[in-house]
């Protein structure tokens, strides 16, 4: 092999053309396809323990940029051109790192796909997605939960006004339909609380992985997409029990619900701290380690940054503010609830609160419902844009066993609703408890913590077995 000022001669049969003769046409799909595949392969090398890329990426790219009237050399000749000449055109920068010589073929070879073939780079990255958060089954679960919560919200809000109870016969189908929403609200609330805690705990684990990613020698993969989806949809899941808790009336207080709400608050705080640290440890999501180069390329070229900044991030913050404000208001209400009426100014303040609280509560519920649906819509669009950028060959839309189980989360709610709808409130609820007890309807629609609904124990003989 001999080298001159413009090209390399490998044999008497073929010589490399000069840089000016090579085909770097950004409008030529035959060039961008191999160029994007080569760039994606070189970036992915640093993600794992690999040190080389397969030869077909190199040879395909080199053949694509050769002039059409050029004699096509063998793969062995192209590889020697690449290894012994092109990759040697490097110099050292201020950080003692190797960079291409300005104006060299290596600089053009490396920069061309980044500037002109980003779509092909994204589709060739080793991107697997996050089916546990954004799979088809999970998306169906989110929509089912949001639809059910919205339906319960409107039904329970209307029933709370008392109009239906005054104008509907007690044994009518419409009254039973309304009773189905009222009597299954408690089960639905428990299901949404458990779902929210599970989502938050999973997000905390995922964000902890991202937190320790820079200290771990293993090759963590796609922590950006996984972290965004985890904290966003776990916060979305927290709005489900909040809206249901606000709209459901007559639901008994239970220590387990207090524990679950406490876990939601603590896990939400932990997730926010981990999330802010993960994305704030360097300027604009930049990771310093070489093995994070693939993450940086994906974020800069493939991720819908405008949607993140103008859609996901604002709605995430609004949802977090709603959760914090409601938690603070609940604590204040618990502190003031037992105050005596003879305190100075308290009766007047209490009367004012009784007048305005229904409107504030309704506004709060409408805001929670709107933010809940906005978050679901933004996440769906975000997921579709990422799938479009990554191409069809990824696992982001796959069904997994866990997703099937997540869809089944809401089955008990439907069963209880159908039972009450079929048999009526008293008989429907009575079928859920032991034969030693019976359901007795309360005469008052106002819930009193000191006066629980009456349960009468009835003795059963062998004839009832």
């Amino acid at each position: 092999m001999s080298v001159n000022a413009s090209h390399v001669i490998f044999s008497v049969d073929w010589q490399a053309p000069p840089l000016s003769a090579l085909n770097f046409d950004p409008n030529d799909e035959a060039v961008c396809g191999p160029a994007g595949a080569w760039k994606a392969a070189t970036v992915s090398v640093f993600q794992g323990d690999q040190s080389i890329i397969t030869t077909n990426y190199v040879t395909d790219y080199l053949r694509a940029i050769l002039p059409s009237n050029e004699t096509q050399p063998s793969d062995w000749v192209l590889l020697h051109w690449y290894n012994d000449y092109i990759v040697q055109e490097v110099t050292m920068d201020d950080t003692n790192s190797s960079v291409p010589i300005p104006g060299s073929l290596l600089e053009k070879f490396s920069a061309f796909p980044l500037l002109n073939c980003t779509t092909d780079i994204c589709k060739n990255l080793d991107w697997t997605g996050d089916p546990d958060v954004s799979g088809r089954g999970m998306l169906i679960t989110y929509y089912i939960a949001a639809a059910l919560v919205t339906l319960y919200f409107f039904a329970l809000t209307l029933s709370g006004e008392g109009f239906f109870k005054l104008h509907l016969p007690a044994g009518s189908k419409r009254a039973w339909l309304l009773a189905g929403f009222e009597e299954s609200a408690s089960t639905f609330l428990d299901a949404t609380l458990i779902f929210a805690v599970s989502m938050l705990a999973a997000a905390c684990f995922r964000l902890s992985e991202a937190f320790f990613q820079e200290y771990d020698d293993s090759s963590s993969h796609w922590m950006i997409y996984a972290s965004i989806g985890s904290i966003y949809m776990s916060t979305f899941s927290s709005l489900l029990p909040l809206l249901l808790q606000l709209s459901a009336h007559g639901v008994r207080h239970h220590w387990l619900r207090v524990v679950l709400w406490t876990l939601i608050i603590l896990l939400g705080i932990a997730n926010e701290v981990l999330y802010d640290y993960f994305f704030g440890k360097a300027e604009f999501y930049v990771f310093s380690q070489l093995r994070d180069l693939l993450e940086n390329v994906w974020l800069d070229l493939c991720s819908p940054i405008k949607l993140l900044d103008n859609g996901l991030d604002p709605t995430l913050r609004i949802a977090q503010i709603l959760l914090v404000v409601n938690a603070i208001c609940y604590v204040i209400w618990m502190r003031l609830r037992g105050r005596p009426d003879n305190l100075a100014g308290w009766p007047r303040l209490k009367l004012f609160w009784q007048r305005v609280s229904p409107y504030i509560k309704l506004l709060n519920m409408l805001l929670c419902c709107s933010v809940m649906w906005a978050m679901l819509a933004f996440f769906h669009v975000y997921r579709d844009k990422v799938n479009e950028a990554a191409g069809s060959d990824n696992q982001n839309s796959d069904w997994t066993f866990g997703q099937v189980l997540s869809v089944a989360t809401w089955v008990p709610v439907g069963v209880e609703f159908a039972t009450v709808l079929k048999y009526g409130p008293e008989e429907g609820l009575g079928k859920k408890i032991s034969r030693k007890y019976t359901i007795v309807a309360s005469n008052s629609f106002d819930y009193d913590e000191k006066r629980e609904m009456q349960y009468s124990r009835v003795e059963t003989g062998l004839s009832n077995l």
Side-chain angles (χ1 to χ4, degrees):
M1 180 187 72
S2 63
V3 181
N4 58 31
S6 60
H7 56 271
V8 180
I9 300 174
F10 288 97
S11 68
V12 295
D13 298 324
W14 187 83
Q15 67 178 21
L19 175 59
S20 59
L22 296 176
N23 179 22
F24 284 104
D25 184 3
N27 298 318
D28 190 348
E29 296 181 359
V31 177
C32 258
W38 172 83
K39 193 62 182 181
T42 56
V43 168
S44 300
V45 163
F46 302 106
Q47 185 67 40
D49 299 327
Q50 305 178 67
S51 58
I52 59 173
I53 62 175
T54 54
T55 59
N56 63 295
Y57 293 111
V58 176
T59 56
D60 289 347
Y61 190 9
L62 289 174
R63 290 190 186 281
I65 64 175
L66 289 176
S68 58
N69 59 352
E70 182 73 24
T71 302
Q72 294 293 319
S74 65
D75 290 347
W76 183 87
V77 172
L78 290 177
L79 289 175
H80 274 281
W81 180 31
Y82 180 79
N83 291 322
D84 297 339
Y85 178 66
I86 297 177
V87 297
Q88 303 303 323
E89 298 177 323
V90 296
T91 185
M92 309 302 290
D93 62 6
D94 297 336
T95 61
N96 203 30
S97 300
S98 298
V99 295
I101 297 173
S104 65
L105 175 56
L106 179 60
E107 182 187 47
K108 184 69 174 180
F109 198 78
S110 181
F112 174 78
L114 289 174
L115 298 175
N116 304 286
C117 310
T118 56
T119 301
D120 295 279
I121 294 176
C122 296
K123 290 183 177 180
N124 286 279
L125 286 175
D126 185 21
W127 194 84
T128 56
D130 188 17
D132 292 333
V133 173
S134 53
R136 287 194 180 97
M138 292 305 300
L139 205 61
I140 292 174
T141 301
Y142 303 145
Y143 274 106
I144 291 176
L148 286 175
V149 168
T150 304
L151 186 61
Y152 272 75
F153 159 58
F154 283 108
L156 295 175
T157 301
L158 292 175
S159 70
E161 300 297 326
F163 173 80
F164 292 103
K165 293 182 179 180
L166 293 175
H167 294 80
L168 293 178
S172 66
K173 287 294 183 181
R174 293 182 180 180
W176 283 14
L177 177 63
L178 186 62
F181 286 107
E182 293 176 339
E183 305 307 333
S184 60
S186 181
T187 300
F188 193 19
L189 176 59
D190 292 339
T192 54
L193 283 170
I194 295 173
F195 179 71
V197 171
S198 301
M199 290 287 293
L200 288 164
C204 190
F205 175 78
R206 186 69 61 81
L207 290 167
S208 298
E209 283 188 322
F211 178 83
F212 291 109
Q213 180 176 230
E214 60 180 321
Y215 309 108
D216 191 6
D217 294 332
S218 62
S219 56
S220 300
H221 204 184
W222 301 118
M223 285 292 99
I224 296 176
Y225 181 75
S227 300
I228 293 173
S230 296
I231 191 170
Y232 195 75
M233 296 315 294
S234 63
T235 306
F236 158 84
S237 69
S238 302
L239 292 176
L240 302 174
L242 176 60
L243 181 57
L244 199 58
Q245 183 84 59
L246 291 171
S247 56
H249 50 86
V251 176
R252 286 187 175 88
H253 293 284
H254 195 278
W255 67 270
L256 182 58
R257 291 190 186 125
V258 176
V259 171
L260 292 175
W261 273 117
T262 303
L263 287 175
I264 288 175
I265 295 172
L266 294 178
L267 288 172
I269 295 173
N271 286 341
E272 180 58 27
V273 172
L274 291 170
Y275 178 77
D276 287 343
Y277 173 82
F278 176 63
F279 288 106
K281 62 182 177 181
E283 184 180 1
F284 197 67
Y285 309 159
V286 176
F287 300 90
S288 58
Q289 298 190 41
L290 189 59
R291 65 194 177 100
D292 294 324
L293 177 62
L294 186 145
E295 297 269 15
N296 290 329
V297 170
W298 180 84
L299 184 65
D300 293 337
L301 302 182
C302 312
S303 180
I305 295 295
K306 291 184 179 180
L307 183 60
L308 284 172
D309 293 339
N310 302 323
L312 270 70
D313 190 65
T315 50
L316 174 64
R317 301 307 176 188
I318 293 174
Q320 291 173 333
I321 292 172
L322 281 174
L323 291 167
V324 171
V325 170
N326 277 276
I328 294 174
C329 291
Y330 177 76
V331 173
I332 294 175
W333 177 76
M334 290 294 291
R335 295 275 296 177
L336 297 178
R337 185 181 55 170
R339 285 183 176 269
D341 292 337
N342 57 1
L343 293 178
W346 174 243
R348 188 175 302 174
L349 180 62
K350 187 176 181 180
L351 179 62
F352 172 77
W353 174 251
Q354 289 175 347
R355 291 177 178 176
V356 301
S357 60
Y359 302 100
I360 296 176
K361 183 179 179 181
L362 180 60
L363 179 63
N364 185 21
M365 290 188 294
L366 290 173
L367 185 58
C368 289
C369 187
S370 301
V371 173
M372 177 186 70
W373 280 107
M375 292 185 73
L376 185 54
F378 277 123
F379 181 76
H380 197 163
V381 174
Y382 172 70
R383 170 186 176 273
D384 288 347
K385 285 186 175 294
V386 169
N387 283 344
E388 182 181 355
S392 58
D393 189 19
N394 69 79
Q395 302 175 14
N396 201 40
S397 298
D398 290 353
W399 278 83
T400 61
F401 183 75
Q403 294 179 47
V404 177
L405 295 180
S406 67
V407 175
T409 302
W410 316 117
V411 172
V413 180
V415 171
E416 180 158 340
F417 178 84
T419 303
V420 175
L421 188 62
K422 181 178 181 180
Y423 298 101
E426 296 182 25
E427 185 179 355
L429 293 175
K431 290 182 177 296
K432 294 180 56 181
I433 63 176
S434 169
R435 292 184 179 181
K436 295 180 180 179
Y437 303 92
T438 186
I439 299 294
V440 178
S442 174
N443 294 326
S444 173
F445 296 125
D446 297 326
Y447 179 71
D448 188 353
E449 292 182 86
K450 298 181 180 180
R451 187 185 69 248
E452 296 285 345
M453 290 182 66
Q454 300 175 1
Y455 285 83
S456 299
R457 178 168 179 170
V458 293
E459 298 295 338
T460 57
L462 296 176
S463 59
N464 295 329
L465 297 178

